[in-house]
Amino acid sequence: MEQLTVRSPATWWDCVDMGGSRAYTRKANIYMRSKGDSLAISDGDQLLALAFLCRDDLGRLEFALAIKPDASRHMRRLCRLAHLTLGGIAETGTVIICHVMTGNETGARMARLVGFVPSEGTMWIFSGASDDKHDLGIVRRGQLELGGDEGGGAVVSAAAGGE
């Protein structure tokens, strides 16, 4: 297992690749990329996820995450990376929201792990508190090492949101 790599902005080809054979999903990814900020998250040369942050009409940032089905073994690392990134943004006073459809237990668990709490309807608000029962990582020399369940992981500098 390699380290997670993050590239911003995500490319048009990342959006098409993430959508696979579903034209509607490809179109939605391209729209989100053009509307706000985007990240492509990979493990080596394998694209795992796209993350989008777009401003809504009230000035809040809406977080959206598109994940490939075969990325499930990386879920803890993806949630940790999102938690650290959004935590740094939230420290500036920005309100961050996401939407989780009613009955989507997997989406609700991921939102809790990232640090969101339910608000009203499908909207969740980033509180920064993670539902993860384990610590987020190991701090070494101004860097936070994000180990995966199988070992290895991303390294985030203190300036980028690490502790």
Side-chain angles (χ1 to χ4, degrees):
M1 178 186 312
E2 298 186 29
Q3 288 189 33
L4 292 182
T5 55
V6 178
R7 182 174 18 86
S8 180
T11 67
W12 298 105
W13 290 114
D14 292 332
C15 295
V16 170
D17 181 24
M18 184 62 65
S21 63
R22 299 172 311 276
Y24 178 79
T25 305
R26 291 191 308 263
K27 192 183 253 186
N29 289 338
I30 290 170
Y31 172 74
M32 293 293 285
R33 181 192 181 276
S34 67
K35 188 177 174 196
D37 295 320
S38 61
L39 297 172
I41 305 165
S42 303
D43 183 21
D45 61 354
Q46 177 189 14
L47 180 64
L48 299 177
L50 295 179
F52 303 99
L53 281 173
C54 301
R55 288 233 179 257
D56 69 3
D57 294 337
L58 300 175
R60 303 173 297 194
L61 279 179
E62 183 175 348
F63 175 68
L65 187 62
I67 302 173
K68 286 201 168 182
D70 57 345
S72 62
R73 65 188 181 107
H74 302 281
M75 204 56 61
R76 287 178 50 88
R77 293 192 307 161
L78 291 169
C79 288
R80 287 175 181 166
L81 181 60
H83 177 84
L84 289 170
T85 303
L86 295 177
I89 294 169
E91 286 180 1
T92 67
T94 302
V95 176
I96 306 168
I97 64 167
C98 74
H99 290 275
V100 178
M101 301 308 293
T102 305
N104 181 351
E105 294 302 319
T106 302
R109 176 70 176 140
M110 285 177 53
R112 282 189 177 91
L113 284 170
V114 171
F116 287 93
V117 293
S119 178
E120 58 187 58
T122 62
M123 186 173 71
W124 292 52
I125 297 178
F126 184 76
S127 70
S130 176
D131 189 22
D132 195 357
K133 303 294 187 256
H134 307 287
D135 61 19
L136 282 177
I138 301 166
V139 179
R140 292 192 183 137
R141 295 187 198 143
Q143 293 184 335
L144 180 62
E145 186 176 305
L146 300 178
D149 295 329
E150 302 85 21
V155 176
V156 181
S157 71
E163 301 284 273

